[in-house]
Amino acid sequence: MLRSTLAQQGTPIYSVAWGPDSEKILYTSGKQLIIKPLQANAKILQWKAHDGIILKVDWNSVNDLILSAGEDCKYKVWDSYGRLLYSSQSHEYPITSVAWALDGELFAVGSFHTLRLCDKTGWSYALEKPNTGSLFNIAWSIDGTQIAGACGNGHVIFAHVVEQRWVWKNYEITLTKRRTMEVRNVLNDAVDLLEFRDRVIKASLNYEHLVVSTSLQCYIFSTKNWNTPLIFDLKEGTVSLILQAERHFLLVDGGGIYLYSYEGRLISSPKFPGMRTDILNAQTISLSNDTLAVRDKSDEKVIYLFETSSGKPLGDGKPLSHKTEILEIALDQKGLTNERKIVFIDKNRDLYITSVKRFGKEQKIIKIGTMVHTLAWNDTCNILGGVQDERFTVWYYPNAVYVDKELLPKTLFEKDASEFSKNPQIVSFVGSQITIRRADGSLIHMNISPYPAILHEYVSSSKWEDAIRLCRFVKDQTLWACLAAMAVASKDMDTAEIAYASIGEIDKVKYIGSIKDLPSKESKLAHILLFSGNIQDAEMLLLQAGLIYQAIQVNINLYNWERALELAMKHKTHVDTVLAYRQKFLDDFGKKETNQRFLQNAEGLEVNWDKIKAKIELEIAKERERAAATPAVRASITIQH
């Protein structure tokens, strides 16, 4: 039974493909490509894609990219908005077939006597010249390791993907045959051969471990010993993704997400409603030692966060929501669990950072970059690398945005990125070396300064003297700015004072000096919170400590008049103080009171400054007495950024 006719036109439709969510179709019309949503009255997207008739299209559900091939002898890669990402050189003959591997990392191209294997960004890995006539159709196996092609001479051609390479520090691993890997240590040229019972499907090399999945088993090798791997059987078989963190790794297959320790023990298997593991890739799932983040496919504005140890949702169980669709996510790898951060790139290519631990109040999502094409966290400390708008950028201390926003630009390292060409991708960020793959497939290795990583190490061990010594030795303003932010985040105001002085922030030095003179620990902590812009937290801390006047005075100093009056009335104290300061403020600017609440409370009240000053002095004396009576125990509170 004919259910519906989706399109009718005067030219033949040579190829058609479903969209990733099965709500759109892509089809050809001469030299045009057309994306038609299945809903009635929805907008159709149409553009001229080739100079000749388009013969073949394919649309991948994992990376959302479109392939097209035509009689103009070119193949092209497009995004789902019809923007051209890659166009090949002209071949000798028309391109008759193109097909994505299921995981979206590779695609195959067929032409007359030609079979080509390409990366998702378009550049070519390999070219074969089989004697087959034209290849009219190509199909990938479900595990993405082999292809079958329908040949013009009546044959079927089979091909296997080999020579894949994985590199980490001084190790280089190559898949030489379907079931054999060669491990080369470039320091001493030692070579080991790893033999497997079944064909290798996926592998990952990081954090001193090689994880290999075959069609039936998973092998875990340590870089210290290649001879005795840990082996366990797989439940589903076809692993589509392996991600590694320092303490554990993650396998994704058609059945779910599984976290394993490097001893081969299953730790957890996180789940969320409507989870589709078949379309997860390295951009939409991220793993750290304590946290797993997954971007939802059904609502691309949502990120689900899980504890790795239990597989349960983090904090209050609510996912992280953003105002626009999210393209790529990445968790930082080091530091304390309660300081874990996640960065993500949205549809507008803006880069945001937010805290992962979420209890009660909504976390601030702060923008730290624009037009960001690719990013990666460092493996040894929380330094972030990325390419934004023709500039290669390293955020030496992204957390500075929560401590002192004005410091963030001073903690960046920037370099012209025009040498990387269009759409570069960061392959790895290990130690002080960043590896970037250009659009033509070539690799560029870049070294950044090793000093910020050393500074991170000193600060995490609370070696403040060593940190100051390092900054004095390097004499770099960027490093001093990082130290200033780190010191404020750790509440070490002595170091912060030295660091701010070194970058010429005199106003902040004076404010830090005034914090040191405060009588009680609670007041000092509250003013450190104020320094970082956390006004509500500062007020709450003072109120919990019973320092009502100080909480009122903070609001007066910030001109939060209504809140100051509200606190004074609620606690039945210092109402006259608030009204006196308000009146002085209005007199200074030659204004009259118009706020009804202040007019009502001021009726019949005379402002006596001598009396008010005496009350304030009494409050300060009380605080000093209290601070002297309290044992010198560091007031410790958990502050949520």
Side-chain angles (χ1 to χ4, degrees):
M1 284 173 66
L2 175 65
R3 186 167 157 189
S4 62
T5 303
L6 296 173
Q8 279 183 316
Q9 58 183 38
T11 53
I13 294 174
Y14 287 112
S15 186
V16 64
W18 283 101
D21 48 11
S22 301
E23 291 177 358
K24 298 173 186 166
I25 55 159
L26 165 73
Y27 62 92
T28 67
S29 173
K31 300 173 185 179
Q32 306 270 328
L33 281 180
I34 299 168
I35 295 177
K36 183 180 182 352
L38 299 187
Q39 303 103 321
N41 306 323
K43 189 182 171 191
I44 293 172
L45 182 63
Q46 179 173 345
W47 71 96
K48 185 188 175 188
H50 286 260
D51 295 325
I53 288 171
I54 300 167
L55 301 174
K56 199 76 179 166
V57 292
D58 198 9
W59 196 345
N60 186 262
S61 59
V62 177
N63 60 28
D64 200 19
L65 298 180
I66 292 167
L67 281 175
S68 64
E71 286 191 349
D72 59 355
C73 306
K74 291 181 180 179
Y75 61 88
K76 298 185 180 185
V77 183
W78 311 84
D79 68 10
S80 55
Y81 304 104
R83 290 184 292 223
L84 181 66
L85 302 179
Y86 180 84
S87 176
S88 73
Q89 301 291 321
S90 271
H91 290 60
E92 287 181 68
Y93 300 99
I95 310 290
T96 48
S97 55
V98 284
W100 281 110
L102 257 68
D103 64 4
E105 291 299 314
L106 302 170
F107 65 87
V109 177
S111 182
F112 181 74
H113 286 350
T114 303
L115 176 61
R116 196 183 274 279
L117 180 69
C118 301
D119 184 77
K120 65 180 176 188
T121 51
W123 58 275
S124 180
Y125 276 109
L127 173 66
E128 297 292 332
K129 288 284 188 180
N131 194 15
T132 54
S134 289
L135 278 161
F136 288 116
N137 207 353
I138 296 172
W140 283 83
S141 64
I142 197 162
D143 58 19
T145 60
Q146 48 194 337
I147 61 168
C151 310
N153 62 1
H155 291 179
V156 174
I157 187 173
F158 291 92
H160 302 276
V161 178
V162 290
E163 296 291 333
Q164 286 161 286
R165 286 172 71 247
W166 296 268
V167 178
W168 182 76
K169 291 194 174 175
N170 52 307
Y171 292 100
E172 183 179 77
I173 297 178
T174 310
L175 182 68
T176 51
K177 297 176 190 166
R178 292 165 61 196
R179 296 198 287 264
T180 309
M181 280 180 160
E182 182 186 272
V183 180
R184 184 180 293 277
N185 184 343
V186 296
L187 291 182
N188 56 13
D189 261 347
V191 175
D192 290 277
L193 282 181
L194 311 178
E195 299 279 350
F196 301 94
R197 196 181 70 187
D198 309 291
R199 69 173 184 270
V200 172
I201 292 173
K202 285 278 175 193
S204 176
L205 174 64
N206 214 336
Y207 297 105
E208 297 181 357
H209 288 88
L210 169 69
V211 182
V212 180
S213 73
T214 66
S215 47
L216 296 172
Q217 293 173 310
C218 181
Y219 294 73
I220 306 165
F221 296 87
S222 167
T223 55
K224 297 181 179 79
N225 180 5
W226 297 106
N227 300 319
T228 51
L230 273 155
I231 306 170
F232 61 88
D233 293 331
L234 292 168
K235 295 177 183 175
E236 285 280 328
T238 305
V239 170
S240 59
L241 182 68
I242 303 173
L243 275 187
Q244 287 177 260
E246 191 179 13
R247 293 183 200 154
H248 42 236
F249 67 95
L250 166 146
L251 298 179
V252 178
D253 63 22
I257 299 169
Y258 306 98
L259 273 155
Y260 288 92
S261 69
Y262 286 115
E263 290 78 49
R265 180 176 58 84
L266 179 65
I267 299 169
S268 63
S269 179
K271 289 180 175 63
F272 58 88
M275 181 170 81
R276 278 187 62 191
T277 55
D278 57 325
I279 51 175
L280 289 174
N281 62 9
Q283 280 73 48
T284 56
I285 184 165
S286 184
L287 178 68
S288 71
N289 283 336
D290 43 57
T291 312
L292 172 69
V294 186
R295 192 210 64 188
D296 189 16
K297 180 63 186 170
S298 56
D299 182 359
E300 293 183 351
K301 299 174 184 176
V302 168
I303 301 171
Y304 286 97
L305 299 163
F306 301 94
E307 282 178 19
T308 53
S309 54
S310 62
K312 291 177 181 171
L314 258 185
D316 52 15
K318 288 180 185 171
L320 188 97
S321 295
H322 187 50
K323 55 184 185 291
T324 52
E325 287 84 359
I326 294 164
L327 299 181
E328 188 173 342
I329 62 174
L331 287 160
D332 64 9
Q333 296 299 310
K334 289 288 179 177
L336 303 171
T337 306
N338 60 351
E339 291 172 6
R340 184 72 56 234
K341 298 285 184 294
I342 186 169
V343 293
F344 57 85
I345 301 172
D346 70 6
K347 194 171 78 173
N348 303 322
R349 290 275 162 206
D350 290 330
L351 176 64
Y352 291 86
I353 187 168
T354 186
S355 183
V356 161
K357 281 286 176 189
R358 307 168 61 74
F359 291 100
K361 71 172 194 167
E362 199 64 28
Q363 295 301 316
K364 279 193 283 189
I365 298 177
I366 303 176
K367 183 168 154 181
I368 59 170
T370 54
M371 291 308 291
V372 179
H373 303 293
T374 178
L375 60 87
W377 283 103
N378 186 269
D379 66 332
T380 54
C381 57
N382 291 336
I383 295 175
L384 180 69
V387 178
Q388 62 164 346
D389 195 25
E390 300 295 314
R391 292 189 321 282
F392 170 70
T393 307
V394 180
W395 289 264
Y396 283 136
Y397 187 59
N399 198 35
V401 79
Y402 286 102
V403 178
D404 182 351
K405 261 189 188 175
E406 294 166 19
L407 266 189
L408 186 69
K410 294 183 180 181
T411 62
L412 302 185
F413 165 74
E414 292 189 309
K415 183 186 172 185
D416 180 49
S418 53
E419 63 176 305
F420 303 146
S421 72
K422 196 180 171 190
N423 292 334
Q425 293 295 315
I426 294 179
V427 179
S428 66
F429 187 1
V430 177
S432 60
Q433 189 177 70
I434 298 180
T435 306
I436 296 174
R437 195 180 289 282
R438 290 170 30 151
D440 61 2
S442 59
L443 291 172
I444 295 177
H445 300 283
M446 285 185 57
N447 281 304
I448 62 163
S449 166
Y451 298 121
I454 298 168
L455 186 68
H456 272 274
E457 199 180 311
Y458 283 153
V459 169
S460 63
S461 313
S462 298
K463 295 178 180 173
W464 297 105
E465 290 294 323
D466 291 344
I468 293 166
R469 212 171 289 123
L470 176 73
C471 290
R472 283 179 177 152
F473 167 70
V474 178
K475 297 186 178 71
D476 179 22
Q477 293 286 294
T478 309
L479 215 57
W480 278 117
C482 291
L483 181 60
M486 289 170 179
V488 175
S490 302
K491 320 235 174 340
D492 189 307
M493 300 320 279
D494 293 330
T495 308
E497 192 171 18
I498 295 165
Y500 274 114
S502 300
I503 55 173
E505 301 265 359
I506 304 306
D507 52 338
K508 288 168 186 172
V509 174
K510 285 196 166 184
Y511 186 65
I512 291 167
S514 70
I515 292 174
K516 286 177 169 182
D517 295 338
L518 291 168
S520 69
K521 284 267 167 37
E522 291 88 348
S523 275
K524 285 177 183 173
L525 274 173
H527 279 80
I528 292 169
L529 285 169
L530 280 175
F531 185 90
S532 302
N534 299 318
I535 297 163
Q536 283 179 313
D537 291 336
E539 184 193 284
M540 199 187 304
L541 176 61
L542 290 168
L543 291 172
Q544 282 172 354
L547 301 171
I548 311 301
Y549 162 70
Q550 283 78 354
I552 293 168
Q553 190 62 50
V554 159
N555 281 291
I556 291 171
N557 293 346
L558 293 168
Y559 305 113
N560 292 341
W561 298 110
E562 297 229 349
R563 179 62 182 157
L565 184 62
E566 191 183 314
L567 286 173
M569 290 172 70
K570 184 180 173 183
H571 295 280
K572 299 185 173 60
T573 180
H574 287 284
V575 177
D576 56 342
T577 308
V578 177
L579 294 170
Y581 274 106
R582 169 78 172 185
Q583 193 56 52
K584 184 178 183 300
F585 168 75
L586 293 171
D587 292 344
D588 287 346
F589 288 95
K591 301 277 182 186
K592 286 199 169 180
E593 184 62 81
T594 54
N595 189 312
Q596 280 303 313
R597 285 187 69 191
F598 281 93
L599 287 169
Q600 282 170 6
N601 283 286
E603 270 179 30
L605 191 78
E606 268 189 47
V607 173
N608 184 337
W609 275 104
D610 293 333
K611 199 174 170 187
I612 288 165
K613 280 174 186 170
K615 271 171 83 175
I616 292 170
E617 280 167 15
L618 186 65
E619 290 285 359
I620 294 166
K622 264 193 217 167
E623 189 184 349
R624 280 208 180 93
E625 272 174 41
R626 200 172 135 190
T630 309
V633 177
R634 184 172 175 80
S636 172
I637 56 155
T638 305
I639 293 142
Q640 295 255 314
H641 283 312

